[in-house]
Amino acid sequence: MIFGKYINRFYLKYAVLILCGLAALVAVDYAQTLIPEMYRMVIDGVDKGVVAVDGGYADFDMQFVWARICVPMFFIIIFIIVGRFVWRICLFGSGIRVERDLRKKMFAHCEELSAEFYSREKIGNLMSLFTNDLETVQDCFGNGIMMTFDAAFLGGLALYKMFRMDWLMTLLSLIPMALMVAMSLILGKYMTLKWRTRQQAFSDLSDFAQESFSGIAVIKAFVKEFKELLAFRWLNKKNENANVAYTRISTILNVLVTLFVESVICIVLGYGSYLVYKGIFTGGQLMEFIGYFNAIIWPVTAITELIEMHSRGKASLNRVSDLLETKRDVTDSPEAVSIDHVDGTIEFRNVTFRYPNVDYDSLHDVSFLINAGEKVGIIGKTGSGKTTLADLILRCYNVADGTVFVDGRDVNTVTVKSLRDFCAYVPQDNFLFSDTIRNNIAFAVDDASDEEVKVAAILSDIDENISRFGDGYNTFMGERGVTVSGGQKQRISIARALMTNASILILDDSVSAVDTDTEKNILNNLRKARYGKTTIYIAHRISTVRDLDKIILLDNGEVVDIGDHAQLMERCPMYRNMVALQELEEEDA
Ligand code: ADP
């Protein structure tokens, strides 16, 4: 059995199921301990022709065999089969339900964790938590309950019957069993450590495999297949070593179990034969005793298996608990209010920002004002802090130093959800789901009509491309479907963001992969569609921002200048340089 903060309440939640399972288990165990008595009757009956039964003696004839052996045995077997079926369904079923509930809780928790968590946590490790670790916890729950009660009840009942027959022989048989349990307890501690190492090694391996498959195009382009293979081999070897180390201890434990069980059989046979020789036991009684002993082999083995299973379960549950205890760092303050309307004014006032776990600022003392309804460009070299601005408007991170205002309200004083409800975002990586194009575009709007989806696609200049795909808007994207170009991906992402008609739209480098004519089309469409609504274009191409109301030029996390194209051309040397450089590049192209 396994206990812990996140698992204890499930014993109560599934109490009815567990109790039904335990009732069936106890009934089956009781039925099992009736069988050795029949061994005695058969052996003694064959040997002596009479059988001790119900405090008297009965003749061992065909009628007795039928009435006292065959018929009861038949019913006992049927009872055991049905009972086993019931307890398996109930106890293993409760384990599966616990796995489902924990997985749901973990997924909900993961969804609330911030971008910072995902930037440091590897996806492979998360996947292994959701699969391997949860399966181990599930096994420990259902199987654990079964083994604990089986060991206690069947073991207790068989021991009681053995004691009644001969206490000395029972005590002698118990000595190796006690040694076996002690040994398991000692080895169990090492096994917890080894299991944790094994799970970590498996996580590292899945991380690597996941990253290699995602980046297969880069690996092939740089002909680095062999280097990747070597790295994979090394991780695979580490995983193998961790498995071998765990299996070694587990095998030692299994061998010891067999050794102890065999030594008890020697004791029972030796001392039991002596009792028969002395006339204290009949042959049938010795068989009955051996029958009870056979019945307790499983409970005692179960105790050692339980210790092994508990070691694994504890290590996995600790990993699951670590995840569930990861703090949500972007949360609503107690005074946060929900907003029901946003005009779209954005102000940064003396914002200095540093990402968690780094020792440099990504923004220094940034201040600017974007009025509601303005079309604003944010431009600057790679790494100058453009995406960081978007991260802070969307409250992907907490603003600790300085203040970001939306419609004059400090973003820290409004609920994260209500703020994001009024924002739409086209991220740089333009991630699309493995789903139809239609569902990708309609992602943010639950009851979107086909008409709305088409309008958004027309505005982002992708409608014509989609019509050329075999299944049109129902074409599957991604792993199971078509692969689209970078530019098409960008335009589908823009269409997805346009669906919500949000008060604030942020496009992060969203037209960089399309040609200049398509860019012009998209910008023209957006100008009309976003009339009166705040739209921020993060870009590195001057052509994207040239005609906007305002351009914010960033460098090294600082605002260099703010103005429209003409103003910046007139007074900002850095902007002029950028323009000249890009014109030169265009001429070259
Ligand atoms: P831009 O969008 O202008 O290319 P970013 O805003 O992405 O630049 O990055 C600004 C700076 O912040 C860079 O130095 C970058 O390395 C750093 N940075 C960006 N994201 C993170 C992160 N998640 N953790 C730590 N540093 C980051």
Side-chain angles (χ1 to χ4, degrees):
M1 275 169 90
I2 187 167
F3 295 100
K5 186 173 160 193
Y6 294 100
I7 203 113
N8 292 348
R9 65 190 187 88
F10 292 118
Y11 289 102
L12 207 64
K13 183 172 178 190
Y14 296 116
V16 175
L17 205 60
I18 293 172
L19 285 177
C20 287
L22 287 180
L25 184 72
V26 166
V28 167
D29 284 350
Y30 179 74
Q32 266 174 282
T33 57
L34 297 176
I35 296 173
E37 229 183 308
M38 295 183 188
Y39 294 171
R40 175 184 59 80
M41 291 190 214
V42 173
I43 302 281
D44 282 352
V46 170
D47 188 27
K48 299 190 175 95
V50 286
V51 179
V53 63
D54 301 336
Y57 285 92
D59 287 337
F60 187 73
D61 49 20
M62 281 320 289
Q63 196 191 345
F64 179 88
V65 170
W66 177 251
R68 302 299 298 249
I69 313 266
C70 294
V71 174
M73 194 74 159
F74 174 76
F75 284 109
I76 287 174
I77 289 170
I78 296 289
F79 185 77
I80 288 177
I81 291 172
V82 174
R84 275 196 184 144
F85 180 75
V86 174
W87 71 245
R88 268 164 203 259
I89 294 279
C90 293
L91 296 182
F92 295 163
S94 67
I96 291 168
R97 283 176 172 82
V98 168
E99 184 186 356
R100 175 201 63 193
D101 291 355
L102 267 180
R103 189 174 281 131
K104 204 164 73 184
K105 189 177 172 69
M106 283 162 67
F107 190 77
H109 184 72
C110 282
E111 280 199 312
E112 301 218 333
L113 293 174
S114 69
E116 195 270 323
F117 170 80
Y118 290 98
S119 67
R120 68 181 148 78
E121 194 64 41
K122 298 264 184 73
I123 300 299
N125 186 39
L126 279 178
M127 292 316 294
S128 124
L129 272 163
F130 273 84
T131 50
N132 257 9
D133 288 297
L134 273 186
E135 267 169 36
T136 310
V137 171
Q138 176 241 299
D139 194 32
C140 251
F141 190 90
N143 240 337
I145 298 177
M146 182 277 283
M147 284 182 173
T148 310
F149 282 86
D150 212 18
F153 190 76
L154 184 59
L157 199 62
L159 269 181
Y160 166 72
K161 293 203 172 187
M162 284 163 75
F163 258 106
R164 262 196 353 185
M165 292 186 75
D166 190 282
W167 64 270
L168 185 59
M169 189 153 65
T170 311
L171 277 185
L172 287 175
S173 348
L174 279 183
I175 294 169
M177 296 291 190
L179 283 175
M180 185 168 99
V181 173
M183 191 65 76
S184 311
L185 282 170
I186 296 168
L187 289 179
K189 287 206 170 42
Y190 289 104
M191 286 166 84
T192 307
L193 289 177
K194 297 286 175 200
W195 185 258
R196 199 170 175 118
T197 317
R198 181 192 171 279
Q199 294 297 77
Q200 193 52 53
F202 183 76
S203 288
D204 293 346
L205 191 67
S206 356
D207 267 340
F208 187 86
Q210 193 260 340
E211 210 157 88
S212 298
F213 294 139
S214 304
I216 193 76
V218 181
I219 296 170
K220 280 184 184 294
F222 286 88
V223 204
K224 288 293 173 204
E225 289 94 334
F226 187 63
K227 190 177 155 222
E228 286 291 296
L229 184 65
L230 287 184
F232 184 82
R233 267 194 207 159
W234 183 72
L235 282 174
N236 205 14
K237 185 77 194 154
K238 241 177 90 181
N239 184 47
E240 180 197 333
N241 290 345
N243 267 311
V244 168
Y246 180 81
T247 313
R248 197 176 289 139
I249 304 188
S250 145
T251 310
I252 291 175
L253 193 60
N254 283 335
V255 170
L256 286 176
V257 170
T258 318
L259 181 77
F260 289 130
V261 168
E262 297 299 329
S263 58
V264 179
I265 291 177
C266 288
I267 293 171
V268 172
L269 282 181
Y271 187 67
S273 306
Y274 169 76
L275 291 179
V276 174
Y277 173 73
K278 282 284 177 184
I280 300 168
F281 258 25
T282 62
Q285 280 174 312
L286 180 58
M287 265 315 285
E288 185 181 344
F289 192 90
I290 291 175
Y292 292 135
F293 172 68
N294 276 337
I296 64 161
I297 291 180
W298 155 241
V300 177
T301 332
I303 292 176
T304 61
E305 268 186 42
L306 254 177
I307 292 167
E308 182 194 338
M309 184 193 281
H310 186 256
S311 320
R312 283 187 276 128
K314 219 167 106 185
S316 285
L317 185 64
N318 284 345
R319 280 166 49 85
V320 169
S321 305
D322 286 349
L323 173 74
L324 288 171
E325 273 162 22
T326 308
K327 279 222 174 81
R328 290 171 234 175
D329 38 12
V330 179
T331 48
D332 297 332
S333 67
E335 312 83 49
V337 290
S338 180
I339 40 176
D340 53 12
H341 176 79
V342 165
D343 285 328
T345 308
I346 298 167
E347 186 187 353
F348 272 58
R349 201 178 291 166
N350 309 110
V351 174
T352 296
F353 177 75
R354 176 179 294 200
Y355 282 100
N357 308 319
V358 295
D359 54 3
Y360 56 89
D361 292 338
S362 294
L363 296 177
H364 316 267
D365 197 18
V366 169
S367 297
F368 60 80
L369 174 71
I370 296 173
N371 294 311
E374 271 186 336
K375 316 276 167 275
V376 177
I378 299 178
I379 198 158
K381 284 185 277 195
T382 307
S384 56
K386 304 184 294 291
T387 302
T388 308
L389 289 182
D391 281 346
L392 297 190
I393 296 170
L394 294 164
R395 266 208 77 197
C396 296
Y397 294 88
N398 291 316
V399 188
D401 189 356
T403 320
V404 176
F405 297 93
V406 169
D407 278 6
R409 284 175 205 263
D410 178 349
V411 288
N412 288 333
T413 65
V414 299
T415 58
V416 178
K417 185 185 175 308
S418 69
L419 173 71
R420 290 185 191 159
D421 274 347
F422 290 99
C423 300
Y425 181 47
V426 185
Q428 225 172 58
D429 69 357
N430 299 296
F431 178 81
L432 297 178
F433 296 93
S434 297
D435 201 341
T436 60
I437 296 182
R438 187 209 176 278
N439 289 348
N440 264 291
I441 296 178
F443 180 72
V445 182
D446 291 339
D447 51 358
S449 68
D450 289 349
E451 223 27 65
E452 287 170 296
V453 171
K454 196 172 170 68
V455 169
I458 292 171
L459 287 174
S460 58
D461 207 27
I462 187 72
D463 174 59
E464 220 180 290
N465 284 219
I466 296 174
S467 319
R468 269 189 251 126
F469 292 137
D471 291 322
Y473 280 83
N474 292 323
T475 306
F476 248 90
M477 309 269 323
E479 284 171 33
R480 287 181 289 143
V482 296
T483 324
V484 287
S485 70
Q488 288 169 332
K489 239 176 156 183
Q490 284 189 334
R491 284 177 283 155
I492 295 174
S493 301
I494 295 175
R496 175 171 61 193
L498 287 176
M499 285 296 292
T500 57
N501 200 19
S503 310
I504 298 170
L505 169 65
I506 306 172
L507 299 112
D508 193 351
D509 225 0
S510 303
V511 280
S512 57
V514 300
D515 57 78
T516 35
D517 285 341
T518 313
E519 181 185 27
K520 237 181 234 162
N521 271 348
I522 297 174
L523 293 179
N524 275 336
N525 290 344
L526 284 179
R527 196 168 297 125
K528 286 179 222 148
R530 299 283 308 160
Y531 183 76
K533 289 188 188 281
T534 309
T535 311
I536 300 174
Y537 298 80
I538 295 174
H540 64 266
R541 270 207 314 227
I542 300 288
S543 57
T544 316
V545 297
R546 168 178 247 128
D547 298 326
L548 302 179
D549 304 326
K550 193 184 272 176
I551 299 166
I552 300 171
L553 176 61
L554 281 184
D555 189 39
N556 230 347
E558 287 179 44
V559 175
V560 179
D561 207 340
I562 302 175
D564 63 21
H565 178 71
Q567 288 167 336
L568 292 187
M569 281 300 279
E570 197 184 312
R571 65 176 186 231
C572 181
M574 185 184 230
Y575 187 77
R576 270 201 305 274
N577 268 346
M578 282 176 82
V579 174
L581 217 78
Q582 287 194 15
E583 277 171 358
L584 239 135
E585 277 171 12
E586 270 164 33
E587 273 170 29
D588 275 359

